[in-house]
Amino acid sequence: MNTYAGIPEENATLENSKVMLVTVPYDGTSTWGKGADKGPELFLDASENMELYDIETGTEPYLEGVWMAGEVSENSSPEAMTEAVYQKTKEMLQHEGKLFTLFGGEHSVSIGSIRAVGEKFENLTVLQLDAHTDLRPDFHGSTSNHACAVFEANKKHNLVQVGIRSCDVEEMQYVPKGQCFWAHEIATNPNWIDDVLAKVSGNVYITIDLDAFDPSIAPSTGTPEPGGLQWYPTLELLRKVFEKCNVVAFDIVELMDSPYSKPTAFLAAKLYYKMLAYYHCKDKS
């Protein structure tokens, strides 16, 4: 039995796990760097090589259980992939009291999972950490393109964007007013975390494109952009979101295969595990 991070089998069953992990190795619409379909494999390999004690929280999150809930392999079209992720997420959300997590793949994989989570949970906030707005209504003939990752979420839910530093002029009309925290403004605002927290409430879905981070610490993404988020401030934001809100699901996407993928893969593995630590600490408080 292959388990997340090589954890014992007794911590990896559906019955004994508080966390469900779905992988989506899809890279059908990326427009520059290719290789995001290898992201889940790289993430899982890195996870097996990290220490499972979290120093900050003094916990071992894996003891709460992580169930590998399967892979969505549909890739015949962007729309078919979105529907498959949507159906898989709906199926997983029937397991009450468990946190749904997803690892991509390119950012288009989030469209279906956000759709399903939004149908189950009212008053949903979608917190997007990203270098790009991803607010195109369609791109290259598809509404399920990675450049459209949160267009639907913005229409249906409370979208809060953090770390954005690249967009097309047509997207500016869709940027949620007062809820997009541009990277250049974060760089000069010591209170940016509190400002973000003021916009995030209730049930929360967190979607993290790894290009939100500065390429100096996360170089292996499809479209790295200079001027990104740093590690510890990002963790502080996430910890406070978990403390304040009811995080019902999260995803991490856009880990790309490359000759230099290991540092980014390990960052992704640690990021995922830190988020589990924050989730379980809230659960026990």
Side-chain angles (χ1 to χ4, degrees):
M1 178 180 179
N2 291 323
T3 64
Y4 160 76
I7 63 176
E9 291 185 13
E10 61 264 28
N11 301 114
T13 65
L14 171 60
E15 295 74 21
N16 294 340
S17 296
K18 292 185 178 179
V19 176
M20 304 175 290
L21 171 59
V22 171
T23 55
V24 189
Y26 180 77
D27 192 24
T29 75
S30 59
T31 46
W32 194 33
K34 289 286 188 180
D37 55 322
K38 302 290 195 255
E41 178 184 343
L42 293 166
F43 158 73
L44 292 172
D45 179 62
S47 297
E48 287 194 24
N49 289 282
M50 68 179 182
E51 302 288 1
L52 295 176
Y53 175 69
D54 180 67
I55 298 170
E56 179 189 1
T57 59
T59 65
E60 296 176 281
Y62 82 90
L63 294 174
E64 304 289 347
V66 180
W67 176 51
M68 294 279 289
E71 173 184 291
V72 177
S73 56
E74 174 62 58
N75 64 2
S76 60
S77 72
E79 290 73 24
M81 177 277 299
T82 295
E83 178 64 19
V85 173
Y86 167 72
Q87 294 295 343
K88 179 68 172 179
T89 306
K90 279 186 67 175
E91 176 191 344
M92 292 300 101
L93 292 176
Q94 293 176 14
H95 302 294
E96 297 291 340
K98 299 183 188 294
L99 177 68
F100 175 80
T101 68
L102 179 151
F103 200 97
E106 57 162 79
H107 210 167
S108 59
V109 305
S110 305
I111 298 172
S113 56
I114 294 173
R115 183 181 299 167
V117 171
E119 288 179 357
K120 181 176 176 64
F121 295 95
E122 295 181 351
N123 303 316
L124 187 70
T125 289
V126 176
L127 175 62
Q128 173 197 5
L129 277 59
D130 205 323
H132 308 86
T133 42
D134 290 346
L135 284 170
R136 284 179 165 91
D138 60 83
F139 196 59
H140 290 180
S142 174
T143 58
S144 293
N145 190 283
H146 72 102
C148 315
V150 293
F151 179 80
E152 180 179 309
N154 192 33
K155 292 288 187 182
K156 294 182 177 180
H157 310 297
N158 174 43
L159 177 66
V160 179
Q161 301 181 298
V162 176
I164 307 296
R165 52 199 187 277
S166 178
C167 73
D168 186 79
V169 65
E170 74 158 312
E171 294 177 89
M172 288 301 296
Q173 64 186 300
Y174 304 117
V175 172
K177 287 183 172 54
Q179 306 214 143
C180 180
F181 294 85
W182 305 99
H184 71 277
E185 294 177 344
I186 286 174
T188 59
N189 179 8
N191 300 313
W192 71 270
I193 292 176
D194 289 338
D195 292 344
V196 172
L197 289 170
K199 303 292 185 179
V200 180
S201 62
N203 297 317
V204 177
Y205 184 114
I206 304 173
T207 179
I208 302 179
D209 186 327
L210 290 168
D211 66 24
F213 290 98
D214 193 77
S216 62
I217 61 171
S220 198
T221 65
T223 46
E225 291 274 350
L229 300 175
Q230 294 297 323
W231 180 247
Y232 285 110
T234 303
L235 290 185
E236 181 183 354
L237 169 64
L238 293 171
R239 176 174 55 79
K240 288 182 175 180
V241 169
F242 276 94
E243 289 173 353
K244 176 185 178 184
C245 305
N246 180 35
V247 176
V248 296
F250 71 79
D251 69 55
I252 300 174
V253 299
E254 297 281 356
L255 170 58
M256 186 187 76
D257 191 17
S258 77
Y260 310 103
S261 61
K262 283 190 175 180
T264 312
F266 205 80
L267 179 145
K270 292 285 283 190
L271 178 66
Y272 180 88
Y273 202 59
K274 293 294 288 187
M275 293 173 76
L276 297 192
Y278 298 151
Y279 175 74
H280 295 314
C281 284
K282 166 68 178 287
D283 195 37
K284 293 176 180 178
S285 62

